[in-house]
């Protein structure tokens, strides 16, 4: 966790402030078990979001928007008695979001991130739980609520699957259940 914040600070220093639309933090858990060997993994992530400034399907009370999601995460292996490792994950993903238009108060949303690109290092959480490649694909499905006078606060849930899409076998992916907190500028 200590390594994430200096990297995020450096990332924000080289990013034009007017281009950045939002920041978020996440906490997630995954079942990292292999056959007859129970284990868990926890994940901490920080990220930035850039709106596409486009909307689709504008006919009713809902519309579709989109944004780029750039993130830096760490996964911590939690297998009792094992040489647990911390995996660093750098990712970028396009996210499509279905949300209510011109809603005052609390506005619900549903989102899907597809074909995210991720680099992880090292490629194992503990002995017996290895990933065949450092390059991974990520997908998310989520829902939540935007709140505040300009809907600047966001609280949501995300389910994320990350794997190498059978580029190389074995394809030991991870499935995370994630609590998502964001602030939009």
């Amino acid at each position: 966790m200590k390594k994430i914040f200096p990297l995020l600070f450096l990332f924000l220093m080289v990013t034009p402030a007017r281009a950045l639309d939002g920041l978020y933090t996440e906490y997630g858990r995954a079942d990292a078990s292999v056959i007859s060997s129970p284990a868990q993994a926890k994940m901490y992530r920080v990220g930035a979001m850039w709106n596409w400034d486009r909307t689709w399907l504008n006919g009713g009370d809902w519309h579709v928007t989109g944004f780029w999601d750039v993130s830096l995460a760490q996964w911590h292996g939690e297998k009792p008695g094992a040489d647990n490792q911390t995996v660093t994950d750098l990712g970028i993903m396009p996210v499509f979001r279905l949300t209510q238009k011109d809603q005052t108060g609390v506005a619900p949303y549903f989102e899907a991130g597809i074909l995210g690109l991720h680099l992880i290092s090292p490629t194992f959480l503990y002995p017996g739980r290895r990933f065949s490649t450092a390059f991974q694909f990520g997908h998310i499905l989520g829902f939540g609520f935007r709140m505040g006078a300009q809907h600047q606060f966001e609280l949501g849930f995300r389910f994320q699957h990350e794997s190498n899409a059978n580029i190389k076998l074995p394809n030991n992916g991870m499935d995370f259940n994630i609590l998502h907190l964001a602030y939009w500028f």
Side-chain angles (χ1 to χ4, degrees), residues 19-180:
L20 185 62
D21 293 311
L23 295 172
Y24 69 86
T25 185
E26 295 179 335
Y27 172 76
R29 303 265 323 159
D31 179 0
S33 301
V34 291
I35 297 172
S36 74
S37 181
Q40 298 286 315
K42 60 184 173 183
M43 183 260 299
Y44 299 98
R45 180 168 29 217
V46 292
M49 301 170 290
W50 287 266
N51 275 323
W52 295 338
D53 293 325
R54 292 195 45 129
T55 61
W56 299 273
L57 305 175
N58 293 307
D61 293 336
W62 294 74
H63 62 216
V64 175
T65 63
F67 58 91
W68 287 108
D69 180 323
V70 177
S71 64
L72 180 63
Q74 288 193 325
W75 309 347
H76 301 279
E78 294 183 331
K79 181 178 179 186
D83 180 21
N84 292 304
Q85 297 295 313
T86 298
V87 173
T88 300
D89 174 359
L90 177 63
I92 184 168
M93 180 182 306
V95 178
F96 294 91
R97 182 173 279 183
L98 176 66
T99 188
Q100 282 185 315
K101 295 190 288 189
D102 302 323
Q103 183 73 16
T104 58
V106 176
Y109 68 83
F110 302 91
E111 65 184 2
I114 53 173
L115 291 176
L117 306 176
H118 294 263
L119 288 175
I120 63 170
S121 178
T123 56
F124 68 98
L125 279 171
Y126 51 81
R129 188 64 163 99
R130 296 189 175 276
F131 305 95
S132 298
T133 61
F135 178 74
Q136 304 280 308
F137 293 101
H139 309 285
I140 62 165
L141 290 175
F143 63 90
F145 300 93
R146 291 187 70 177
M147 301 157 276
Q150 280 77 41
H151 293 145
Q152 68 271 31
F153 302 105
E154 188 171 284
L155 173 63
F157 170 83
R158 286 178 164 181
F159 173 81
Q160 178 177 349
H161 173 75
E162 197 165 312
S163 71
N164 70 15
N166 288 334
I167 292 173
K168 185 176 179 184
L169 296 176
N171 182 18
N172 293 326
M174 292 286 287
D175 294 326
F176 286 100
N177 292 302
I178 301 166
L179 175 64
H180 170 83

